Structure formats: structure tokens, C-alpha cells
Amino acid sequence: MPRVLLIEDDPSVREGVELGLRRRGHDVRTAPTGEAGLAALGEFRPDLLLLDLMLPGMNGVQVCRRVRESSQLPIIMLTARGDDFDVVVGLEAGADDYIVKPARTEVIEARIRAVLRRIEEPGAGRSAVEFHGELAIDRAGLTVAKAGERVALAPSELKLLLHLTAAPEQVFSRQQLLEHVWEHSYHGDARLVDACVRRLRNKIEDTPGDPRYIQTLRGFGYRFGPL
Amino acid sequence: MSPEPGTEPGTDQQTPRRRRRARAPRPRPFGLRTRLVLAFLLVAAVGCGTTAALTYRAARNAILEQTQDTAVSALRDQVDPLNISLPVNPTDLHEVVLNIAGRGKPRPWRVYAEYGTVRVSSTDRPTSSVITPELRARAQARSATPHGSFQRVVKNGTPYLTVAIPAVFRTHHAEGTAQPTGLVFYAVMELDEEEANIEAMVTAARDGALPALAVALIPALIASRGVLRPVRELRHAAHSMGRGRLDTRIHAKGSDELADLARTFNESAAELERSVAELRNAEARARRFASDVSHELRTPLAGMLAVTEVLDEDAGSLDSDTARAVRLISAETGKLAVLVEDLMEISRFDARAAELHTDEVDAADCVRKTLQHRYWTDPAQVVPYLEEGIRARLDPRRFDVVVANLVGNALRHGAAPVTVRLYAEGDELVTEVADRGPGIHPDVLPHVFDRFYKADRARTRSAGSGLGLAITLENVRLHGGTVRAANHPAGGAVFTVRMPL
């Protein structure tokens, strides 16, 4: 069962979410502050990080950035502020998804499962390593390299890239991408897609302002190539 | 010695009739400035004209009277001392006439004498065509005064003065009554010199009036500027206040009515600004409060909601009272969470923090997903009639909320089956949600989109938060569309959403 680290300063939320997830079979560790959470990371080795945005001391965005520097750990923001600004800031920092509080345990669990789910391969039967320009994508090993150098991608970024490269030059609407990559079973937030595309471009494009790999089609969505 | 006022047939043609009338019904949008200047000029013209006319009349009368008096008395002086023996001898009379003709005053005259059928004149014609029968009749009448009478006549454009003096017998009685002899002397004198003088006066009056009018234009322009500048300022200020710049003030100086007006405007503007600021503050406080409350409610709710499933699952193994209590807590927590979510959403709309993230989507697809994801797939419950292939620019998340709220509302308050119709009409996307329920009471109809408005007063809490339709309205508005509630003639409520494509 997945190991989840929950960083949350409010004791009732911490306990409530821990109780709920534990009942559903998750191995949960909690930390009341960002610093404590970072310390617990190395020792607990979680599969996923549930991160409150507003924390005393080091806040959620800072924690998220710190984790992203060295790891591809899936991160879900848990936020009491559903306002656009907070969501976007959290997503830009590298989170894979966000949950607005209050949320039922089943919702939290569904999001965790969606983020953790192994990337299905839409283009089965292809060779394990594909080359797109300078990008080398290993579908079996789930790694991406650019010009021979490995690129560290968050799970949502990797899923998005794999989905787009499975059908090069095909245009996907944000709704389609939300459903395939984030598996949201409702009308999710298109900003998830936009933020993820932005982060992905920063990592794989030569000049993120003039994208070569992931191109925008105004009013329609995104596509990979043509290179 | 005042002569009888003369009659002047066919005279005084100086003022040609004014043909120019106000070209009526077409209204012209004269500006205030034009009207002010015109009024000024009109006043100046009336002033100049009246003065000139009065002066002219007085001067003309003076000139003519003097001429007349001189002429009458001169002729009488000539006639009076004559000793006329009757019956007259035409030769002697011709002598006399020629004698008188040589002493015309103030101007040379032609003299005519008439006695019965005898006609004698100082000219080569025996009678003058200028002398009117009227003057003759007056001179020969029994009651004619010995002082004589006169008349001004215009003939062939030349003005003449005609004077008639009857010759009388001198009686030496004390009363001095004179007996007319029947002999009448007439003198005819051209008045063209007087006329030229009068003409010159008219020209002078006109020449004086025109510069006066031109000069009047200057104060007219200055005055209109003085009036119009504050008016223009006032207009600009009112305009800018209308556009929301409530700190607009006018520069008010002086103590005239316009300055008073400006001050009044400034005071009103200040008062308005103050009230609006107060209102805005109050509104902002209210919004912040709602937002803060919802925000503070979220954290405890987050903990509670996370464990409701635990409660629900374990309720079965508890004793019945405790189980009921636990289920109640669980259900109410869920409702509270929905309410808080809706409150947050409403306060975002109020604070204008709600943003539209539009995407080009397939409208029918959107509605279908909304229904699917809420498990409204039973045709006995919800029947969709969706026009395929409409691509619309809208915020899928908000459109989902709109459709879900309307369908949910119809299922909750109306009766199944609920029909969802989607079609394009002109450049609008129309979404119609109808139910088979009893419809909405006419008293309630105007309030269905009000917050927390409860159609059924007895039922203090409905299943929803009471904010669903208000949120629907806000979401539709954010798309630049409209939503309308009505009752279908065949029964049931119909909600129609129109959004620009």
C-alpha cells in the first residue's frame, strides 16, 4: 500500500486525514511543519507527499520547491485557499495536483491513486526508447533524456510528455489531457495542464518562450511537434 | 399760431416691409453660446433701432414743422396786406402773384391764385397739379381759417409742401372777424432739401447702429464665455463622475450664481463620494467577513469530512441511537462542507475574484459529461436532447456547475423526467432545463436567483445550500450570458441559459 507523508499544521486535519487514509490501508506518516516533513522524507521514503500550503515557518510552496530540487516524488497540495493565485503558485512550484479543503477521504484517495498510477502505454508495441529530436524517451524505464543528459520530471510532467509523444502532431484539448493525465472524473482545472506544460517546457525546450517540442494551438490545446 | 396737422397721403415709405419671418417648424439645435450672442445682438439692435427711430421722428417733425411754419407765415405776410378789389382783375392779380412768387421763404415757391374761374399763376401753367382738391376744399370752405392750411404731397417721388391762404376782407370791428373774399393764394414749394436732410439723418442713425451692434458682439462673446466656461466645466465634471471618478471637483471662484452652482456641485460630489466610500467599505467588510468565516470553517471541516466515512462505516456496529447520531453528524458535515464551498464561491464572485478560464469545447460533450459524472444517466430521471457539434468558448468548469445546479435543482424541487435541451440560436448557445413538477409559484419566480431564498417557507432548510441558483446566475453572467426562469404552459419550471457562442 502506498506510503503517504502528510505535512499539515492543524492537528484536527492532520488526525482526520491520517485516520481516513489509514482506514483505507495507506501507510501514513505526519509532520506538523515543513522542516519536520523534510526531515522525515529521508527516513520514511514515502511514495507521495500531501502538502498543506499554509504552514508556519517554511510554507508549502517552499517545501515543494525544496523537494523538487532533488526528487521526482509525487506531490499533492492540500490547500484551504482555492483562490486562483494560490493554486497557480502551488502548481508552478512543481506540485502534480491540488486538493481544496475540505475534502472527503475518498476524493483524496482517488487523487493519490491517479497520481501514483503507473503510466499506461497508449502506443504499445513501440520500441522501448523513442527519439524525438534531442529527446530520448524510455517508455519502459520511464526516463527522459535530453542530449544524453537525464531530465528529472515530476510524475504529472512525465505522464503528460508520454501521452503527447505517443501520438506526435495530434492535438489534445486541455480537457482530454486532464482526463488522461490527471484522470479527473469531473471537469477539472485547465490550469493544471497549463502549469504542467509550462514546467515541462522549462525542462525540455531550448528556449521555453519559443517552444519546439510542446506547441500551443490557440483555442484548441497542445500537441507534440512537428519537429 | 399752430397750423393744422397736415395729412400726408402716400408718404413715409422708408421702412420696407420685413419679409423675413422666422423660418418655422424646423428646429435648429442652436447652442447656448449662439443663443446668448443672438440675444445680446437682439437687445442691442432693439436699443439702437428704437433710439434711432425716436430721434429720427423728432428731428423730422422739427425740420418739417419749421419749414411749414415759415412757409405759411411768409405767405400770409404776403397775402394779408393786399388790398384786393373785387371782382379781381386778372392782370393785376398776375402782378400780385408774380410779386409774391419773388419772396418765397424759406425756399423759392410757385404761387397760384384762384378766384371763381379765374386762375392766375407765377408759372407758365395756370394751375398746379400738386394742389389737391382736399386742400382747395379746405381753403375755400366757409369755416376756413384765415391763417391758412397746408399739406405735404409726394408727386413723382418729389415731396412738396402746398400752402393755401385765403384773402380776407379786413373789417375794423373790434372782434376782427374776417370775411373770405373767395380769392385764395396757393404756394407750392419743393421739400427735397428737407428730405435730403432727413435722409442724411437716417443714414447717420444706421451708420451709428451698425458699429454699435458690432461692438455689442464683444461683450456678448465675453459674457457667453463667462457663462459657458463654468457650464462646460460642470458638464465635464458630471461626465467624469458618471464614469466613477467621484473625487471630481470644479474650480469655484467668485460669488455669482455659477460659482454657487459649482460649490453646490462640489458639496454634492463630496457627499456622494463619502456615502459611496462608506457603502463600499461596508460591502468590502461584509465580503471579507463572509470570506473569512468560510475560510475559518474550512480547516475544522477538513478534519471532520475526512473521517465521516469512518463514522458511516462503523455506524452499523453501534447501538441504534448512537448510530443515528453518528449518521446525522456525517450527513450534516457533508452539507456544511457544500455550504462553505458555495459561500466561498459567492464571496469570490462578490469580490470579483472569479476568473473565466475559457476553452473551446464541444458543448454537447460538456453537458453529457456533467450528467454522466453525477450519475444522472437514467432516462426516467434525465432526458438529454443535445444538438451535436456546437463548439463554444466557455469555461468548462463553470459551465459544468451551471448545468449541474440547474439539473440538480430540477430533480430536487421539480419532478422527473427532467429534460436538458442544448441548441444554438443565432450566435447564442441555449441550454434549457425543464422539469415536470408543479412549476414555480408566480410570487417566487422573481426571487429564484436570490441567495438563500427558500421557495417553501415552512421548510427552513432544503437539501441544497440555497446558493446554487445564485452561483448559477453569477457563472452565467461571467460568461456574458443570461439565465431566465419561467413556467411552461404545460406545467413545470423551465430554466433557460443563453450564452454568447
Side-chain angles (χ1 to χ4, degrees), chain B residues 213-237:
Chain B
L213 280 181
V215 169
L217 199 61
I218 296 165
L221 286 174
I222 292 173
S224 70
R225 222 179 93 106
V227 172
L228 286 179
R229 194 182 40 80
V231 169
R232 206 182 307 128
E233 266 178 33
L234 203 61
R235 197 192 68 200
H236 283 313

Side-chain angles (χ1 to χ4, degrees), chain A residues 160-171:
Chain A
L160 178 66
L161 184 61
L162 290 180
H163 188 74
L164 286 173
T165 52
E169 297 184 35
Q170 184 185 328
V171 180

Side-chain angles (χ1 to χ4, degrees), chain B residues 296-333:
Chain B
E296 289 308 311
L297 281 172
R298 269 186 157 173
T299 307
L301 266 176
M304 288 159 74
L305 208 60
V307 296
T308 49
E309 286 153 59
V310 178
L311 295 180
D312 281 340
E313 278 171 23
D314 291 355
S317 59
L318 300 171
D319 72 276
S320 71
D321 274 4
T322 317
R324 273 180 63 194
V326 159
R327 289 206 177 96
L328 195 68
I329 287 281
S330 169
E332 291 301 301
T333 306

Side-chain angles (χ1 to χ4, degrees), chain B residues 104-124:
Chain B
K105 255 170 86 176
R107 236 169 286 299
W109 57 30
R110 296 189 292 275
V111 181
Y112 303 85
E114 294 181 3
Y115 178 75
T117 55
V118 180
R119 296 283 184 274
V120 178
S121 82
S122 62
T123 63
D124 42 3

Side-chain angles (χ1 to χ4, degrees), chain A residues 57-102:
Chain A
M58 193 183 220
N59 69 28
V61 174
Q62 289 167 315
V63 174
C64 186
R65 286 216 181 94
R66 182 72 70 80
V67 173
R68 272 283 164 272
E69 278 170 15
S70 57
S71 123
Q72 302 184 31
L73 179 69
I75 299 173
I76 297 178
M77 293 282 195
L78 201 56
T79 170
R81 318 207 309 194
D83 293 345
D84 292 350
F85 179 75
D86 304 297
V87 169
V88 171
V89 166
L91 293 175
E92 293 285 335
D96 292 292
D97 203 351
Y98 71 92
I99 300 171
V100 177
K101 287 195 270 188

